[in-house]
Amino acid sequence: QVQLVESGGGLVQPGGSLRLSCAASGITFTMYTMGWYRQVPGKQRELVATITSAGYINYADSVKGRFTISRDNAKNTVLLQMNSLKPEDTAVYYCKAQYRYSSTPYYWGQGTQVTVSS
């Protein structure tokens, strides 16, 4: 049924860049706010960025000026361009689809590992 598939994670050096992609299927994409969240061991999952179907964007303070979220409604995809990466950006990054008219339904992807290290 519903599937969110993240890709693009990997190992990069501090100051480097990565682009994450999330492909959604099984939902009416324009009815969902899309977001990127991240989680490190021992800590709760935290918001990175969200984007509504109309393009309204919210970023966590920790990534403002470095990360850019975008979406292509025709392709049912959401992207996260990550520049000037820092070791503290290391985490598993998850894609989320949130129904815009109520708290449910919502869906999570399986996550993709991002490691920033020398």
Side-chain angles (χ1 to χ4, degrees):
Q1 47 182 334
V2 177
Q3 191 172 29
L4 302 177
V5 180
E6 301 101 331
S7 62
L11 174 64
V12 297
Q13 295 182 340
S17 298
L18 281 175
R19 185 177 67 177
L20 306 183
S21 179
C22 173
S25 60
I27 61 171
T28 303
F29 190 69
T30 56
M31 292 185 180
Y32 286 79
T33 296
M34 302 300 297
W36 287 98
Y37 296 73
R38 65 188 182 187
Q39 189 169 27
V40 299
K43 297 186 66 177
Q44 65 183 13
R45 193 169 298 180
E46 66 177 3
L47 179 146
V48 176
T50 61
I51 182 168
T52 71
S53 62
Y56 184 84
I57 294 171
N58 181 49
Y59 292 105
D61 288 341
S62 59
V63 307
K64 286 181 180 177
R66 300 188 298 121
F67 291 10
T68 302
I69 190 171
S70 62
R71 66 189 289 163
D72 186 337
N73 287 338
K75 297 181 178 180
N76 288 9
T77 60
V78 59
L79 304 176
L80 185 68
Q81 178 66 47
M82 304 185 294
N83 299 325
S84 302
L85 283 162
K86 305 174 181 179
E88 51 262 46
D89 295 317
T90 296
V92 177
Y93 283 70
Y94 296 91
C95 179
K96 182 186 180 183
Q98 172 69 59
Y99 191 61
R100 61 184 298 178
Y101 303 109
S102 61
S103 298
T104 59
Y106 61 89
Y107 306 97
W108 291 100
Q110 292 298 308
T112 185
Q113 177 71 48
V114 172
T115 302
V116 185
S117 176
S118 299

